[in-house]
Amino acid sequence: MYKYGRKKLGLKELTAIGIGGMIGGGIFAVLGLSIKIAGPLAPIAFSIAGLIAFLTAYSYAKFSYYHPCMGGTIEYIAMGIEKEKLVGYLSTLLWVSYIVMLSLYSFAFGSYGAALLGFKEGTLSYTFIQHVLITAILLTFMFINLLGAEIMGKIEDFLVYIKVAILLFFTVIGLLHSDPELIFKQPWPPLHYIIAGGMIIFLAYEGFELISNAGLDADNKKDLYWAFFLSVSIVVAIYVLIAYVSVTTLPVNEIVKYKDYALAVIAEPLLGKIGFVLIGIAALYSTASAINATIYGAGRIAYLIFKHGELKEPLRKKAWNQPKEGVLMTSLAAVVLANTYSLANISLMGSLGFLLVFLAVNYSAHKLADKIGASKSLTLAGTILTLVSAIILVYVALSMNFWSQLKALLTLMVPPAIIEIVWRKISRRKMKKPKEYGIYKVIEYIEQKL
């Protein structure tokens, strides 16, 4: 994994960070579920999600150009939101959302791994092997991170290009064999289901925000600024093409039947058994890479929250290069979540968590639009669309499976509130608010020590 301060990052490297963050496992895991909701109009659903990602990337780009930093998301939220407890809640929600993403990646790893071993979705043997692989991959990278090793991170840039190449190869072959009439031969869902289908896959667009954490290592601010738009544009194009190839290659009911590893199933009629294996292998190393990187990053967030009460004064006297407690808490929480919740639950939690975090970023950008040189119209559009999309996602999810999805919503929303209230009292933390950049300015100091 890239170490801050080793070299300056140009447009190519910054764009690779964004693409690598987005194409990490979400598309492999949730494609089938999105198609189940949006039906043959999945390409439109992906486009709607892409539009929201693009508008949010605009807010990030303006923040990063105005104030390059390592604090990233939470620092940008704190710049525009003055309520200390709300910022604390959002920082904890971000950590919980990364735990959900870990669960999603490991779920995808287990699903594709079980399928490659010859087990069929829906069978008892498939479920058993799936959960064995879920637990094994999370514990493996937990121990790797506890030992301080970053094996997957050393080849991260290489993996980004391989992932993109495989997916582009899949889309090119798929376009040559697609049947556009399939879109019109199947029933179309109502508009709010199309939007919900895009929002359930929104977690696959999560990752471009990682570019902001490299702000102090960018070669120049223009490269940092344009990397957001370039990375999101490339990924949106790839995802929309994948969705189009999917619904014009196989009927929706065939895709949904094996939704846990839908992309590999779609590849099989196009490329034969080798296509199934190729996509399966791509899914395995994509999710493995994402698991390693997410444990590393989320473990540091947890350490920041729990070990020192976020901004408690003693943090300046401590060593910040071994957040082992955070790695342990994050990994074990993901093991429990991935083994007890369904793919639909995990997908709802992941997408909603990041929609709410991005809502806060867009709101903050709108509030500070004049200061950071942003368009009030675009930041307002980003704020409204993330809010409306989150509401529609929750409504459709609850209408499809009320009690199960309500449990998922409570699991996402309640723990951050409890942690913020209880831990604030235990740690007795008192955050000092710098005049210029908000209460999380000190995050830069912490990150530099990491």
Side-chain angles (χ1 to χ4, degrees), residues 20-278:
M22 286 180 276
I23 305 180
I27 187 65
F28 295 100
V30 193
L31 175 65
L33 186 60
S34 178
I35 292 174
K36 178 181 179 180
I37 298 173
L41 298 185
I44 296 177
F46 274 61
S47 300
I48 294 171
L51 173 62
I52 295 175
F54 198 86
L55 287 171
T56 305
Y58 173 80
S59 294
Y60 271 94
K62 287 297 182 179
F63 268 128
S64 295
Y65 190 85
Y66 170 74
H67 174 51
C69 66
M70 291 183 183
T73 300
I74 294 300
E75 188 164 350
Y76 296 151
I77 291 173
M79 286 170 65
I81 297 178
E82 297 181 356
K83 293 186 180 297
E84 183 180 305
K85 292 180 181 179
L86 178 57
V87 177
Y89 174 82
L90 289 169
S91 67
T92 309
L93 178 64
L94 179 63
W95 174 58
V96 172
S97 298
Y98 278 125
I99 292 174
V100 174
M101 294 305 293
L102 267 178
S103 304
L104 180 80
Y105 298 147
S106 60
F107 195 100
F109 184 93
S111 300
Y112 279 87
L116 284 174
L117 291 173
F119 299 96
K120 294 292 184 182
E121 184 178 345
T123 64
L124 184 61
S125 55
Y126 168 86
T127 302
F128 176 75
I129 295 299
Q130 179 192 43
H131 285 289
V132 168
L133 292 174
I134 285 172
T135 305
I137 193 66
L138 282 170
L139 293 181
T140 296
F141 282 109
M142 180 186 76
F143 285 117
I144 288 175
N145 277 272
L146 287 175
L147 293 172
E150 298 167 23
I151 297 172
M152 293 301 296
K154 294 179 181 178
I155 56 172
E156 192 67 35
D157 287 345
F158 175 73
L159 289 178
V160 169
Y161 298 125
I162 295 296
K163 284 185 286 188
V164 172
I166 290 175
L167 291 177
L168 286 176
F169 176 69
F170 165 79
T171 55
V172 170
I173 299 299
L175 288 171
L176 295 175
H177 294 82
S178 64
D179 178 12
E181 291 186 5
L182 272 179
I183 295 177
F184 302 96
K185 291 178 179 178
Q186 302 173 86
W188 291 4
L191 178 60
H192 61 288
Y193 268 67
I194 298 171
I195 295 174
M199 293 309 100
I200 205 71
I201 197 71
F202 187 77
L203 52 76
Y205 286 108
E206 179 276 322
F208 63 83
E209 76 279 1
L210 297 176
I211 298 172
S212 65
N213 297 107
L216 296 183
D217 294 288
D219 191 36
N220 61 72
K221 293 198 294 185
K222 287 185 177 180
D223 287 344
L224 183 66
Y225 180 84
W226 289 109
F228 284 98
F229 302 112
L230 187 57
S231 61
V232 171
S233 298
I234 290 172
V235 172
V236 168
I238 292 173
Y239 283 176
V240 171
L241 284 173
I242 288 174
Y244 174 79
V245 167
S246 299
V247 298
T248 58
T249 300
L250 285 177
V252 170
N253 61 338
E254 287 295 316
I255 297 173
V256 171
K257 186 188 289 185
Y258 302 105
K259 63 182 181 300
D260 284 3
Y261 47 92
L263 197 57
V265 172
I266 295 163
E268 189 166 8
L270 297 174
L271 300 167
K273 189 65 178 177
I274 191 173
F276 184 95
V277 173
L278 183 66

Side-chain angles (χ1 to χ4, degrees), residues 389-412:
S389 297
I391 293 171
I392 292 175
L393 174 61
V394 171
Y395 172 77
V396 173
L398 291 176
S399 67
M400 294 180 70
N401 194 334
F402 181 82
W403 292 111
S404 177
Q405 295 291 46
L406 178 62
K407 178 184 70 173
L409 288 174
L410 293 175
T411 302
L412 173 70

Side-chain angles (χ1 to χ4, degrees), residues 416-434:
I418 294 174
I419 291 170
E420 170 60 18
I421 294 170
V422 174
W423 194 251
R424 179 177 291 272
K425 290 184 177 181
I426 293 174
S427 64
R428 297 179 182 177
R429 67 172 178 253
K430 184 66 177 178
M431 302 181 190
K432 296 180 179 179
K433 183 177 179 182

Side-chain angles (χ1 to χ4, degrees), residues 4 45 47 58 138 169 251 256 330 334 346 349 353 404 440 444 448:
Y4 295 116
S47 300
Y58 173 80
L138 282 170
F169 176 69
V256 171
T330 299
I346 296 171
M349 294 165 66
S404 177
Y440 278 76
E444 285 188 23
Q448 288 167 350

